[in-house]
């Protein structure tokens, strides 16, 4: 079955420290992975997708098919990065629906 | 266009009552999705529309749930004979068909069944 696992409910780091939010997936096909973010009192929004291989707000994520992982990384955390982060897998077929992980709350301390 | 809107934002109802939620997507988006999110979980897919056609329903969507998108614009989600287990945040999202990975979410409707 298609599944996305985010093992950490909460990740607390100090400003300037590196950040790695873990995401593992199970999917029999060719996966498309995404990170969505929800800042306090804001809506869920797309942060980045693996296909684009771009850096958004200093965040990057590399798809590792061998380890079935798509970890989100940032070298130096900022207080404004504090938010809920969801890893998502796009399930193929006509729907292209998203399967979300349970989310990780990133708290960046000053 | 200010994005996806949902109404109401909060709904408290007694068990056994029917409730209806509305979602207004971004105007040029032809795809509309409904998700449900419970505490500590990520959004779970319920159903989706392309224009006015409902193309998929999750097994999470029991017979008490029905969704419509009559003119391919706004959508409604109705829950009949609500149960306490229906208490959740109901999220609506919309997207363009060719960019279905980039879904724009609404603020959600928080349902509490007492």
């Amino acid at each position: 079955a298609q599944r996305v696992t985010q093992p950490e409910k909460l990740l607390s780091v100090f400003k300037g420290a590196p950040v790695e939010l873990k995401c593992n997936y199970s999917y029999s096909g060719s996966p498309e992975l995404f990170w969505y973010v929800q800042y306090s009192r804001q809506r869920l929004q797309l942060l980045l997708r693996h296909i684009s291989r771009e850096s958004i707000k200093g965040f990057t994520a590399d798809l590792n098919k061998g380890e079935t992982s798509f970890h989100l990384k940032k070298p130096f955390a900022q207080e404004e990065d504090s938010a809920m982060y969801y890893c998502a897998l796009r399930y193929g077929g006509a729907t292209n629906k998203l399967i979300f992980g349970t989310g990780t709350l990133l708290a960046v301390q000053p | 266009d200010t994005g996806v809107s949902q109404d109401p934002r909060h709904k408290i109802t007694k068990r056994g009552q029917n409730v209806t939620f509305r979602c207004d997507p971004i105007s040029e988006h032809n795809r509309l999705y409904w998700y449900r999110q419970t505490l500590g979980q990520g959004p779970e897919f319920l159903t989706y529309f392309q224009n006015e056609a409902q193309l998929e329903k999750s097994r999470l969507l029991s017979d008490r749930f029905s969704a419509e998108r009559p003119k391919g614009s706004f959508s409604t989600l109705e829950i009949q004979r609500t149960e306490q287990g229906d208490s959740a945040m109901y999220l609506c999202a919309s997207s363009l068909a060719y960019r279905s990975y980039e879904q724009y979410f609404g603020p959600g409707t928080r349902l509490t069944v007492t």
Side-chain angles (χ1 to χ4, degrees):
Chain A
Q2 298 76 23
R3 185 181 303 154
V4 176
T5 303
Q6 295 181 251
E8 302 145 325
K9 288 194 178 298
L10 171 66
L11 181 64
S12 182
V13 300
F14 287 103
K15 177 182 173 181
V19 170
E20 182 178 52
L21 298 169
K22 292 184 167 53
C23 172
N24 289 91
Y25 67 90
S26 61
Y27 183 56
S28 55
S30 184
E32 286 189 80
L33 277 297
F34 309 89
W35 279 97
Y36 273 74
V37 61
Q38 187 167 23
Y39 300 101
S40 179
R41 297 189 178 87
Q42 294 188 27
R43 304 170 184 202
L44 194 58
Q45 58 186 287
L46 178 66
L47 178 64
L48 55 78
R49 55 192 291 234
H50 89 270
I51 288 178
S52 61
R53 300 184 65 83
E54 57 191 345
S55 172
I56 303 292
K57 300 184 179 183
F59 284 97
T60 59
D62 290 320
L63 179 62
N64 185 322
K65 292 186 178 180
E67 296 182 358
T68 60
S69 68
F70 187 57
H71 302 329
L72 184 67
K73 300 177 183 179
K74 185 170 183 177
F76 307 104
Q78 302 298 315
E79 289 182 67
E80 56 265 31
D81 296 328
S82 295
M84 194 74 176
Y85 290 81
Y86 292 96
C87 183
L89 167 73
R90 183 158 74 158
Y91 181 68
T95 308
N96 288 321
K97 66 185 179 186
L98 294 174
I99 298 171
F100 287 87
T102 52
T104 297
L105 179 62
L106 174 64
V108 182
Q109 310 297 329
Chain B
D1 195 325
T2 55
V4 178
S5 62
Q6 292 186 245
D7 184 69
R9 297 290 305 276
H10 299 91
K11 179 71 177 178
I12 300 174
T13 191
K14 292 185 178 180
R15 189 176 56 185
Q17 297 295 304
N18 299 344
V19 294
T20 300
F21 310 141
R22 176 179 171 125
C23 170
D24 286 89
I26 294 172
S27 57
E28 62 268 28
H29 285 182
N30 50 3
R31 289 198 175 183
L32 187 148
Y33 302 80
W34 284 99
Y35 292 86
R36 181 171 67 189
Q37 186 173 22
T38 53
L39 198 61
Q41 301 297 315
E44 295 175 292
F45 171 82
L46 292 179
T47 189
Y48 113 96
F49 292 84
Q50 175 143 323
N51 300 315
E52 65 275 10
Q54 186 176 17
L55 296 184
E56 183 169 342
K57 291 172 27 173
S58 164
R59 281 173 289 181
L60 291 174
L61 216 61
S62 76
D63 292 344
R64 297 184 297 104
F65 288 70
S66 62
E68 295 183 341
R69 194 182 183 198
K71 296 183 179 179
S73 56
F74 73 92
S75 174
T76 58
L77 177 68
E78 181 183 16
I79 309 174
Q80 296 182 327
R81 305 181 303 281
T82 52
E83 301 173 355
Q84 287 188 321
D86 297 332
S87 295
M89 177 74 85
Y90 290 84
L91 295 167
C92 175
S94 69
S95 75
L96 294 166
Y98 65 90
R99 287 176 69 92
S100 60
Y101 60 86
E102 187 168 12
Q103 297 182 17
Y104 291 78
F105 282 80
T109 294
R110 180 166 296 284
L111 172 66
T112 302
V113 182
T114 61

